[in-house]
Amino acid sequence: MIQIATALASADKADPELAADVVRAALERAGTGIARSVLLFLSADFVHLAHAAVLAASRAAHCLQVTGCTAPGVFTEEDWMLDRPAACAMVFGGDCGLAAHPEAGAPLLSLAAPNAATRGWLAGGGPRYGLLSTDNTAHGAGRLWCHGKMAGDGRCETAVAGARAAIGVSRGMRILGEPRAVVCSGRDVLKVGDRPALHTLLRELPLELRETEKLPFHLLAAGVVKGPPHGAVEAGRYELVPLLAASHDERSVTLALPLDDGDRIFWALRQGLAAENDMRRLAGELSARLGDTPGFGLLFSCLGRGPWFFGGEDRDLAVVKERFPGMPLIGAYGGGQIAPLVGGNRQVHNAAVLALFAEHV
C-alpha cells in the first residue's frame, strides 16, 4: 500500500522550522506518524539555512532519508510559490519510498547544480529526470541534499522504490514547418532548403510576429533533427537550439550552437497554448503508459515555463490537477530540467518534466 501526501507553506522570512511544519502537515494528511522517506524542496531563500532545514525536516519525519534541493520556486497540487520564502514536502509511507541504493536501470530522480550536471553523469545509470538547482537568477548554484546529507559535489540521485513510473517531457513548442536541410557557416544558418534562412523563418511565423521590427528571439528555437526526418517531431528525436540573432543583409539566422551542412532543422515558437496542449497530451500519454490511474506525481518546470510564461498562472500545474484531481504532486521551478530523451539523458530548458507513479500490480 502507498501512503503519500504533500504539504506547502510560505512565510515572510526563511526559517528552518518551516521545513518541519510542512513535513508534519504532510504526515498528518498521509495518516502516518513516521515517514519512510521525504522529498523536500525549499525556495532559494533557504540556501544558507539548508542544512538546518534538512535537520528540522528529518526530526519531524522521524527518519534520515530526506532528499531535495533549493530552487527559485516550489509547488504542490495545492498551489505554487515564487518570490517568497517557501517549503514543500512529499512524505512516503507504506511500501513506497526513495531508495538509497536504486536498482540497476531504475529511473533516477536526479538533482544537480548547473555545473555539476556533466555529460558523463547524465549518461550514467538509467533514465534520468529532475531539476537543475539554481538561485533566483537561474544561473548560480543552489544547495542539494540526498538521504539526509548535504551533497558536496552539487548533485544527488535516488529512485522511487515500490511503484511503477512513466516519465516524459513537454517541450511546449509550436512547430513551424517541416524539417529541411541547411547550408551553414558555423552557428550562422545561411539557407534552409533552397531559400535564405531568414526568409523561411519569417514565412513560418504568425503574421503579428513577422511585422515586429525586432524578432522575439527568447521565444524562438531551431529544432535539430536526430536521425531520419520522417516522424522525428512525433518521436521527439530533436534538440531545440535557441536563436540568437538574424542578419537582414545576409538573410541568415544565428543559433546558439554550430550546425553542419546537411543537418535538418525546423523552426519552433514558444507559445502558451501550444505548451498547455502539449502538457495535456503528455499527461494522457503517461497515464496510458501506466495502464492505471497514477497515485502520485513529480513535476519539474523551468522558470521560463512557469507562471511568468503563462501570464500569472501555471497552466502546466493546472492541467495535471484537472487530469488527476486530488493526486499528490510535488515539484519545483529551476534554471533547467533533466529529461530522458531519445538518444539519452539531456539538460533541457523552457520545458516541463512529468513523472507519474502507480502501485505495482
Side-chain angles (χ1 to χ4, degrees):
M1 181 181 67
I2 293 178
Q3 287 180 286
I4 289 175
T6 69
L8 170 73
S10 66
D12 294 330
K13 183 179 178 181
D15 186 332
E17 277 305 304
L18 194 65
D21 290 343
V22 293
V23 168
R24 283 190 287 263
L27 285 172
E28 183 176 353
R29 292 175 181 176
T32 181
I34 299 175
R36 176 175 171 178
S37 51
V38 178
L39 189 55
L40 175 71
F41 294 120
L42 304 173
S43 66
D45 311 270
F46 286 84
V47 69
H48 298 300
L49 300 169
H51 185 246
V54 170
L55 288 178
S58 181
R59 286 194 297 268
H62 304 289
C63 84
L64 299 176
Q65 302 298 319
V66 181
T67 294
C69 67
T70 60
V74 300
F75 56 86
T76 68
E77 74 278 10
E78 289 182 76
D79 204 352
W80 54 268
M81 293 288 175
L82 279 166
D83 295 332
R84 180 173 170 81
C88 65
M90 174 177 278
V91 298
F92 294 80
D95 300 325
C96 185
L98 300 177
H101 303 287
E103 296 180 3
L108 295 174
L109 170 57
S110 303
L111 308 170
N115 62 351
T118 62
R119 284 184 176 270
W121 180 69
L122 288 172
R128 293 184 181 271
Y129 65 101
L131 188 77
L132 298 184
S133 171
T134 64
D135 62 12
N136 286 332
T137 70
H139 298 295
R143 296 294 302 279
L144 302 98
W145 46 93
C146 199
H147 306 299
K149 297 180 180 179
M150 302 308 294
D153 61 355
R155 59 195 183 202
C156 70
E157 60 186 41
T158 184
V160 175
R164 296 176 290 118
I167 302 162
V169 58
S170 167
R171 307 288 191 93
M173 304 294 286
R174 176 179 169 183
I175 307 302
L176 306 174
E178 298 294 326
R180 293 181 174 85
V182 300
V183 175
C184 59
S185 175
R187 295 187 302 170
D188 294 329
V189 181
L190 307 178
K191 287 188 176 182
V192 177
D194 58 357
R195 293 179 175 270
L198 183 56
H199 175 83
T200 66
L201 174 61
L202 293 175
R203 184 184 61 188
E204 299 290 357
L205 283 176
L207 185 60
E208 65 272 17
L209 296 182
R210 286 185 230 169
E211 296 177 348
T212 59
E213 292 185 7
K214 185 176 181 181
L215 292 172
F217 292 111
H218 65 293
L219 299 177
L220 296 171
V224 184
V225 170
K226 305 297 182 182
H230 180 71
V233 173
E234 294 78 4
R237 287 189 288 101
Y238 60 87
E239 178 182 4
L240 290 172
V241 178
L243 271 61
L244 300 182
S247 170
H248 289 272
D249 293 332
E250 298 181 0
R251 309 297 287 174
S252 63
V253 176
T254 303
L255 306 184
L257 296 174
L259 300 183
D260 294 322
D261 285 345
D263 283 348
R264 291 182 176 269
I265 71 167
F266 56 86
W267 303 119
L269 171 68
R270 293 183 60 221
Q271 190 179 62
L273 181 59
E276 181 179 341
N277 289 337
D278 194 45
M279 178 54 74
R280 189 168 284 110
R281 171 204 61 78
L282 178 63
E285 178 184 304
L286 296 184
S287 180
R289 202 185 304 169
L290 279 178
D292 197 358
T293 301
F296 63 98
L298 310 181
L299 177 61
F300 301 102
S301 187
C302 193
L303 273 176
R305 173 73 182 254
W308 295 336
F309 176 59
F310 288 106
E313 180 185 9
D314 189 336
R315 290 304 303 162
D316 288 324
L317 180 58
V319 164
V320 177
K321 289 168 61 176
E322 290 165 6
R323 184 69 171 77
F324 311 111
M327 181 188 74
L329 179 76
I330 193 171
Y333 305 104
Q337 297 69 51
I338 296 169
L341 301 177
V342 175
N345 304 311
R346 296 285 187 274
Q347 286 188 38
V348 293
H349 300 276
N350 299 317
V353 176
L354 178 63
L356 299 178
F357 299 86
E359 287 190 79
H360 282 300
V361 293

